[in-house]
Amino acid sequence: MTADIAKLGPMLRTWRGRVSPAAAGLPGGRGRRVTGLRREDLAELAGISVDYVVRLEQGRYLTPSAQVAAALARALQLTDAERDHLYRLAGLAPPASVEISDHVPPGMRRMLNRLGDAAAAVFAADWQLIWWNSGWAALLGDPSSTPSALRNFARDTFPAGGAGPRLSHWPVTSLRQRDVEASVVSDLRRATGRFPSSDRLAGLIRDLTTCSPRFAELWASGAVGAHREDHKIVQHPAIGPIAVDCDVLTDGDAERKIVVLTTALDTEDESKFRLAVVSGRYNPAHS
C-alpha cells in the first residue's frame, strides 16, 4: 500500500486540534496557545518523541510503523473509520477484524473520563492493558514505566519462571485467586472464538501453556466464560492496605474489558483511596 504522506501531516494537525486537554486527561492551564493538543501533548500520550511528531506532520518521516499508527489513533481519540484512514495515509493496511484491536473508541473514553477519581483501565481481548486513568496509576503505580509488551493481566496471573507482577508496582492480593485464574483462562478461550485467526492471541496462549502448568491444566478443561469480578487488597506503600472491589465489563464484539476498582462507601478504605489519589497524582498514560 502506497503512503500519502502529503495528506497525513495535515490530518494529524486537524485531529490534534480537536482534542481538548481535558478530554485527554491533561491540565489546561493559561499558558496554552492552542485549544487542542500541542505536539508535546500528542508525543506524551502516544509514547513517541516530539521530533517524531514534527517529522510526521511535516511529511519528513515516511515509514511510521503500525505500532506508532495505533498509538497515534488512541492518543487522538479517532473513530474506527478515522483510524483506518490514518493507517492508509501512512501506507499501512488497517487492522484486520480477525486481529485483536488495541483501539479505545472516543465514546468509551468520554464515559471513562466521567468516572472521576475511580481507578479504571481498559484491556484488549487478550488482557493487554491499553488505557488507564490517573486513579489507576495512583492506586497501583504508573504502568507507563513497564514495557508495553509486559502489560498483560493474563501473563501476570500465570507468571513464567517466577516473574513478579508487572501491572502493579506493589503487592496486590486477590481474595479469590483460583476463581480469577479459572475465569481468565475461560475468557481467553472465548476470545479464540471471536478471533480464531489472531496470531497475537495464539502466541499468548502458546506461551502460557508452555510456561505455566496451572494454565495448561485449566486450558485443558475447555471452559468458556468471562472474568467479571474480584475482591483485592492493594498494599499501597504510602497509604497501607486498601480493600477494593474489581468489576469487569466487556465491550461488544471487540471484547475489550473495562475494569473499575472501587472501595466501599464511607469506609476507611475509601478515605485511603482518596488519599492515594491526592498524594500520587499522575497524568493518564494512554499507552
Side-chain angles (χ1 to χ4, degrees):
M1 183 175 293
T2 303
D4 194 344
I5 300 300
K7 293 182 180 178
L8 176 60
M11 284 306 308
L12 289 176
R13 291 192 294 271
T14 297
W15 287 327
R16 177 165 59 83
R18 74 183 188 184
V19 181
S20 70
L26 299 172
R30 294 186 177 181
R32 286 182 171 269
R33 299 178 181 177
V34 296
T35 57
L37 297 178
R38 300 172 300 190
R39 285 170 171 168
E40 294 83 354
D41 299 329
L42 178 57
E44 178 184 351
L45 293 170
I48 57 181
S49 70
V50 177
D51 180 65
Y52 198 109
V53 173
V54 171
R55 288 174 176 270
L56 283 173
E57 291 193 353
Q58 293 180 350
R60 294 192 289 121
Y61 202 101
L62 302 181
T63 55
S65 67
Q67 183 179 8
V68 168
L72 287 169
R74 290 194 296 271
L76 292 167
Q77 304 186 17
L78 302 185
T79 64
D80 288 346
E82 290 168 340
R83 176 205 61 190
D84 292 351
H85 186 57
L86 184 155
Y87 270 72
R88 293 187 183 98
L89 291 178
L92 301 167
S97 60
V98 298
E99 189 52 86
I100 290 172
S101 173
D102 288 342
H103 187 56
V104 181
M108 181 181 293
R109 288 176 180 266
R110 288 193 296 271
M111 178 194 72
L112 292 168
N113 285 333
R114 292 180 180 132
L115 292 178
D117 287 334
V122 180
F123 292 80
D126 59 350
W127 284 102
Q128 184 72 19
L129 178 63
I130 56 178
W131 184 95
W132 62 90
N133 67 0
S134 57
W136 183 278
L139 182 65
L140 300 175
D142 186 2
S144 62
S145 61
T146 300
S148 177
L150 301 181
R151 300 175 201 156
N152 186 285
F153 181 63
R155 293 188 186 276
D156 265 18
T157 304
F158 301 96
R166 300 180 176 94
L167 288 179
S168 59
H169 287 209
W170 31 83
V172 178
T173 304
S174 169
L175 302 185
R176 302 162 61 177
Q177 182 62 28
R178 293 187 70 82
D179 290 342
V180 169
E181 292 171 357
S183 61
V184 168
V185 174
S186 64
D187 187 274
L188 287 176
R189 184 174 290 281
R190 189 178 70 164
T192 62
R194 174 65 183 85
F195 302 99
S197 302
S198 169
D199 292 335
R200 182 170 123 182
L201 180 59
L204 172 67
I205 292 170
R206 183 171 55 251
D207 289 349
L208 294 177
T209 302
T210 302
C211 299
S212 172
R214 172 65 173 160
F215 181 90
E217 173 192 354
L218 291 169
W219 186 257
S221 72
V224 179
H227 180 35
R228 294 301 185 195
E229 63 181 10
D230 189 19
H231 302 282
K232 302 176 182 291
I233 305 295
V234 178
Q235 298 292 341
H236 195 284
I239 312 300
I242 305 174
V244 297
D245 294 319
C246 173
D247 293 291
V248 184
L249 305 175
T250 301
D251 170 46
D253 290 341
E255 293 288 336
R256 286 175 286 249
K257 295 97 171 49
I258 302 170
V259 180
V260 181
L261 303 179
T262 56
T263 56
L265 295 174
D266 300 322
T267 63
E268 182 182 0
D269 292 306
E270 182 183 31
S271 299
K272 287 182 176 180
F273 174 66
R274 293 189 181 280
L275 182 58
V277 170
V278 170
S279 63
R281 288 285 183 186
Y282 293 84
N283 284 332
H286 307 250
S287 77

